[in-house]
């Protein structure tokens, strides 16, 4: 805790790039959930310091880090959302799955597509049913394609494919629109 306090003082009070870079690196070990918002703001600035902040977010294992990122994801604007989704994917954070599924089901189509791309790497069989149901309900061809790809990758990766098959078949039985039925058929 003492080391974290010192690191935060350096980050808040120093303009020396080398000192700030060293302090940022320390957060990989000493950072906590309370530091996620600050690191995200630094990451969004870009440059060498922004890249370093992204790497620290990927490597930080302190208490509450995943929960803090999941909470920020719910209200993040597009640039912040992109950073958080990328970090979640690189960290392979299972805690992110409910938030990502919620994003996929939301009205923001670009956010839904980003979340589908993350679910492609992180999702498990349990995520196939909501994704398949969205294939049935969406009229957006790009989103439908992202959902199809996510289900395909999930089903390739999971050891028991039966829940995936059941979810796809159940959605296909509900689908009325030809594009949805075709997408689901390709997944069978």
């Amino acid at each position: 805790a003492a080391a974290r306090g010192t690191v935060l003082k350096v980050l808040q009070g120093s303009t020396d790039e080398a000192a700030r870079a060293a302090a940022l690196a320390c957060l990989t070990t000493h950072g906590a959930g309370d530091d996620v918002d600050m690191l995200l703001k630094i990451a969004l600035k870009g440059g060498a310091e922004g890249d370093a902040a992204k790497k620290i977010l990927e490597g930080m294992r302190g208490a509450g880090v995943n929960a803090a990122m999941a909470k920020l994801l719910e209200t993040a604007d597009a640039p912040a959302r992109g950073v958080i989704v990328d970090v979640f994917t690189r960290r392979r954070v299972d805690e992110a799955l409910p938030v990502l599924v919620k994003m996929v089901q939301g009205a923001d189509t670009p956010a839904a597509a980003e979340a589908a791309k993350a679910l492609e790497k992180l999702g498990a069989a349990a995520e196939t049913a909501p994704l398949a149901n969205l294939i049935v309900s969406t009229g957006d061809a790009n989103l439908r394609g992202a959902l199809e790809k996510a289900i395909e990758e999930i089903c390739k990766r999971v050891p028991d494919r039966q829940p995936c098959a059941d979810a796809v078949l159940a959605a296909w039985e509900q689908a009325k629109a030809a594009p949805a039925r075709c997408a689901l058929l390709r997944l069978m």
Side-chain angles (χ1 to χ4, degrees):
R4 181 174 171 268
T6 302
V7 167
L8 293 175
K9 282 181 188 175
V10 171
L11 282 172
Q12 293 166 351
S14 178
T15 56
D16 181 317
E17 278 188 39
R20 289 180 60 79
L24 274 173
C26 289
L27 285 177
T28 300
T29 303
H30 300 290
D34 293 343
D35 304 320
V36 169
D37 189 43
M38 171 195 59
L39 286 166
L40 180 60
K41 288 175 183 168
I42 294 169
L44 290 169
K45 289 180 184 177
E49 195 171 84
D51 291 343
K54 286 179 194 173
K55 292 254 185 245
I56 282 119
L57 284 168
E58 289 172 21
M60 246 172 52
R61 300 292 181 232
V65 171
N66 292 339
M69 282 195 286
K71 185 174 181 180
L72 284 172
L73 184 58
E74 292 181 16
T75 59
D77 62 7
R81 187 178 57 238
V83 169
I84 295 168
V85 167
D86 184 53
V87 168
F88 271 154
T89 303
R90 292 176 190 273
R91 287 173 63 100
R92 307 215 42 92
V93 177
D94 290 339
E95 293 170 54
L97 293 174
V99 177
L100 292 170
V101 169
K102 185 176 176 183
M103 279 178 64
V104 167
Q105 295 169 329
D108 184 343
T109 303
E114 276 183 276
K117 188 151 183 69
L119 286 166
E120 206 178 290
K121 305 258 187 310
L122 296 175
E127 282 71 50
T128 57
L131 296 177
N133 290 334
L134 283 168
I135 287 175
V136 172
S137 65
T138 188
D140 186 289
N142 291 329
L143 179 56
R144 186 173 32 262
L147 294 166
E148 183 179 350
K149 178 75 171 150
I151 293 171
E152 178 183 357
E153 292 303 316
I154 290 168
C155 294
K156 284 181 188 176
R157 192 177 55 252
V158 299
D160 180 8
R161 295 187 178 144
Q162 191 60 51
C164 295
D166 293 345
V168 170
L169 184 58
W172 184 81
E173 290 171 352
Q174 299 300 314
K176 303 290 184 245
R181 291 179 69 83
C182 289
L184 292 163
L185 275 172
R186 285 189 294 270
L187 290 167
M188 288 187 193

